[in-house]
Amino acid sequence: MPRPDFAEYGTYFQRYIDYTPGNDARQVIETSVAALEQFLSTIPEEKLHFAYNPGKWTVAQLLQHVIDTERVFAYRAMCIARGEEQGLPGFDENVYAENATATNRTLSDLTEELLLVRKTTLILYKYIDDKQLFRKGIASNNPITPNAIAFIIVGHVMHHQKILTERYFSAIASALH
């Protein structure tokens, strides 16, 4: 299976695809499960409601954002794979964050949900055939394929793992010294 080419997604998503190693959409998702589980185990529970600057999301809100985004993108992949011809809407991540209940969640809750969402994404892709994988649809007014969506889903999480490591965890370490 080839990596997504530029005709399979809007340019905005290039940064997420660049994070994602590999060439096979299904394998990219499958190998991401263990890495995601390992990364989530490094997040300190006591810092779940920490934000590195005023006005920035807390760790819990960021994890909820990742969950919500994966659900939206998996839905898009399913719709397009099934032949949906209508354009699929975008979503406002900040509105979603404002209306989510991340502040009432535990790290265990968020970890469990994110891993379950990833595993259901994996199952979805297990039953998308090669023709469906490369079917083009429209989401957020951009062309996109389920193939590209798999790389975007994994790359989006990797992007936020980097943010957590560089901005949140480094700020936590600095505060402890």
Side-chain angles (χ1 to χ4, degrees), residues 22-168:
N23 293 317
D24 182 280
R26 293 175 197 94
Q27 190 173 31
V28 162
I29 294 171
E30 186 174 347
T31 58
S32 73
V33 176
L36 179 58
E37 190 168 14
Q38 193 283 325
F39 180 79
L40 291 168
S41 74
T42 68
I43 299 173
E45 175 82 40
E46 65 275 7
K47 299 300 181 182
L48 188 62
H49 301 291
F50 170 81
Y52 68 92
N53 274 329
K56 294 295 182 182
W57 290 343
T58 65
V59 173
Q61 289 171 310
L62 189 142
L63 291 174
Q64 185 67 63
H65 161 73
V66 168
I67 292 166
D68 290 349
T69 301
E70 183 152 340
R71 278 197 171 113
V72 168
F73 275 86
Y75 171 75
R76 290 173 176 177
M78 182 202 63
C79 291
I80 294 166
R82 302 293 191 260
E84 182 61 66
E85 294 182 8
Q86 296 183 58
L88 300 168
F91 70 104
D92 185 328
E93 64 187 29
N94 292 310
V95 172
Y96 279 42
E98 289 171 20
N99 289 289
T101 58
T103 56
N104 301 328
R105 308 281 306 270
T106 66
L107 181 57
S108 175
D109 292 340
L110 290 163
T111 296
E112 177 184 30
E113 185 176 1
L114 181 51
L115 291 171
L116 285 171
V117 168
R118 178 56 53 89
K119 289 173 184 174
T120 61
T121 299
L122 177 61
I123 292 168
L124 171 67
Y125 272 86
K126 183 177 178 181
Y127 297 104
I128 291 177
D129 68 28
D130 291 349
K131 181 180 175 186
Q132 295 168 330
L133 192 64
F134 294 97
R135 182 174 281 149
K136 284 191 181 171
I138 301 291
S140 298
N141 299 314
N142 287 292
I144 198 156
T145 65
N147 183 53
I149 290 172
F151 286 81
I152 292 165
I153 285 171
V154 173
H156 178 256
V157 172
M158 294 173 80
H159 164 76
H160 284 293
Q161 286 175 337
K162 183 177 180 188
I163 290 173
L164 280 168
T165 300
E166 292 177 356
R167 297 183 192 168
Y168 288 78

